[in-house]
Amino acid sequence: MSGRASGTESAGGRPLIITEDPLLLDDLLRLCAAAGAEPHVHHAVPERIGGGDGSHGSDGSGGTGGSTGWESAPLVLVGDDAARRVRGAPRRGGVFLVGRELDDPLVWQRAVEIGAEEVLRLPDAESRLVDRIADVVEGAGRPALAVGVIGGSGGAGASTLACALALRAARAGERTILIDGDPLGGGMDVLLGGEAAEGLRWPDFAGSRGRVGAGALEESLPELHALRVLSWDRGDRVVVPPAAMRSVVAAARRRGGVVVVDLPRRVDEAVAEVLAQLDLVLMVVPGELRAVAAAGRVAAGVRMVARDVRVVVRGRCPGGLDPEVVAGLLGAPLAGEVPVEVGLPGRVAEGEPPGAQGRGALARFCDGFWQRVLGPVQGVPA
């Protein structure tokens, strides 16, 4: 597995709370619960417990909490009431000074004295604090490389390429999530032969508004061909609010590895939320003039949000345009050409997912793409 995925393999730790303020403690325990964290709670720096200062500690549930120290905790939340008690503790990152009444001008001096990264005032900073705590729980490291695939014209083959990219990334050892962003596309789970696989689909996340747990998301999705797939069910509901789209894609990215999103050609508010989180968008365009004309309109909408758009030319029609000409007409860099693969539609119809044959033209394009954007990948299976 490449280094990109491995950065998120280790589990997160338990935050350390230092306070004697019962109201503030209730708030911090509530926020930890919202982030899925079980904190250790102390009244002073843990290493000083038993040293004659009269402090004692607990884990928030009545048990002892001495197993997490000041230096070993991944995150330390110091109540404003406890700032003076932690002065002199070793300097470290991940310390936050938290309180409800932080209008005292000396609060910034106390923050400097304990080496706090930031001063957080509740309830205003609750959302930010939940995010930081959740990052610790999930062991957040380098985010996933997020690649979107969109058709420049109807029938361009974007879903086929998205599926193949995800499959080849998974076979190269990358933690991979394939997200079906097109509710009218027929379902990526169908393309992978897993429409009956157990797991959640988009309608199950339609009510998501706040932060979605990255680990919980991954575990809830169907696993097909060594990758996780978020697709649509066979019901009538085809609308997921923009806030839910944003939360789910953000959770997928926090898990690390690779995220591939199959995008619809129409850029609405929900699709814009996805585009804003992508590192790269591949626009699939057949090498003929009408397709290029249609792709120009799609590209105009995508460029309003996406930071990096590149062209993939699919095949060559007799008398068609060269890939460099297609990219030039669209004013975007050329990511490559996917030659027509003889027999691919028939194999897909028989249940073989696109890109499964390692020696096929589609798989070779995908392997080369990942090697360029992720670095050399060893041992890609055929």
Side-chain angles (χ1 to χ4, degrees):
M1 179 173 291
S2 76
R4 177 173 289 274
S6 62
T8 58
E9 291 290 347
S10 59
R14 296 177 63 178
L16 172 64
I17 296 175
I18 301 178
T19 184
E20 283 187 302
D21 183 335
L23 296 179
L24 178 60
L25 178 59
D26 285 345
D27 284 335
L28 294 178
L29 290 176
R30 172 176 56 82
L31 296 178
C32 284
E38 297 182 13
H40 289 278
V41 179
H42 289 284
H43 295 166
V45 176
E47 283 82 358
R48 296 180 181 177
I49 295 173
D53 64 357
S55 300
H56 64 281
S58 73
D59 61 4
S61 59
T64 60
S67 60
T68 294
W70 171 270
E71 295 183 71
S72 61
L75 185 72
V76 180
L77 307 177
V78 179
D80 186 45
D81 65 291
R84 292 182 178 85
R85 295 196 297 277
V86 302
R87 282 187 299 188
R91 291 301 174 106
R92 51 151 295 164
V95 176
F96 292 84
L97 184 63
V98 188
R100 301 193 64 86
E101 300 294 335
L102 297 177
D103 296 330
D104 182 355
L106 296 179
V107 68
W108 302 104
Q109 178 181 334
R110 294 195 290 275
V112 171
E113 290 174 346
I114 67 172
E117 290 185 11
E118 195 172 343
V119 176
L120 300 177
R121 183 177 187 272
L122 302 183
D124 298 347
E126 285 192 357
S127 177
R128 171 167 172 72
L129 189 51
V130 169
D131 282 348
R132 290 304 302 265
I133 297 170
D135 283 341
V136 168
V137 175
E138 295 170 0
R142 175 187 282 184
L145 177 69
V147 177
V149 185
I150 189 168
S153 62
S159 295
T160 297
L161 178 58
C163 183
L165 282 169
L167 183 64
R168 301 310 298 176
R171 291 194 176 185
E174 292 286 340
R175 169 184 277 132
T176 305
I177 296 181
L178 174 60
I179 297 177
D180 188 351
D182 186 357
L184 304 180
M188 296 299 289
D189 54 351
V190 176
L191 197 55
L192 286 162
E195 60 269 26
E198 293 186 1
L200 300 185
R201 266 66 172 183
W202 264 120
D204 298 305
F205 296 96
S208 302
R209 292 296 185 274
R211 184 182 178 108
V212 175
L217 171 68
E218 183 181 33
E219 293 170 5
S220 71
L221 300 179
E223 184 174 6
L224 304 170
H225 302 278
L227 58 92
R228 298 284 181 166
V229 183
L230 175 54
S231 189
W232 300 85
D233 62 10
R234 311 283 82 85
D236 295 332
R237 180 167 187 161
V238 294
V239 177
V240 172
M245 281 279 191
R246 179 176 62 248
S247 297
V248 169
V249 175
R253 291 207 67 197
R254 288 197 303 274
R255 198 60 173 162
V258 165
V259 173
V260 179
V261 186
D262 181 38
L263 296 163
R265 291 169 58 209
R266 181 175 178 271
V267 180
D268 57 17
E269 188 178 352
V271 174
E273 291 287 358
V274 178
L275 287 170
Q277 299 190 59
L278 299 179
D279 299 297
L280 171 65
V281 177
L282 298 178
M283 177 174 291
V284 185
V285 185
E288 56 95 15
L289 193 56
R290 287 187 61 199
V292 174
R297 292 189 290 271
V298 176
V302 172
R303 283 197 187 98
M304 293 178 65
V305 186
R307 62 175 68 96
D308 189 352
V309 182
R310 305 181 195 180
V311 174
V312 175
V313 177
R314 194 204 70 187
R316 291 199 188 188
C317 303
L321 303 173
D322 289 336
E324 293 80 5
V325 174
V326 174
L329 290 172
L330 293 172
L334 179 65
E337 178 184 7
V338 179
V340 174
E341 186 171 326
V342 178
L344 177 61
R347 294 197 300 273
V348 171
E350 293 174 357
E352 178 184 293
Q357 290 201 2
R359 290 178 294 276
L362 182 59
R364 290 198 303 271
F365 171 86
C366 294
D367 291 345
F369 171 81
W370 291 126
Q371 287 169 3
R372 291 192 300 272
V373 300
L374 291 174
V377 177
Q378 301 298 323
V380 179

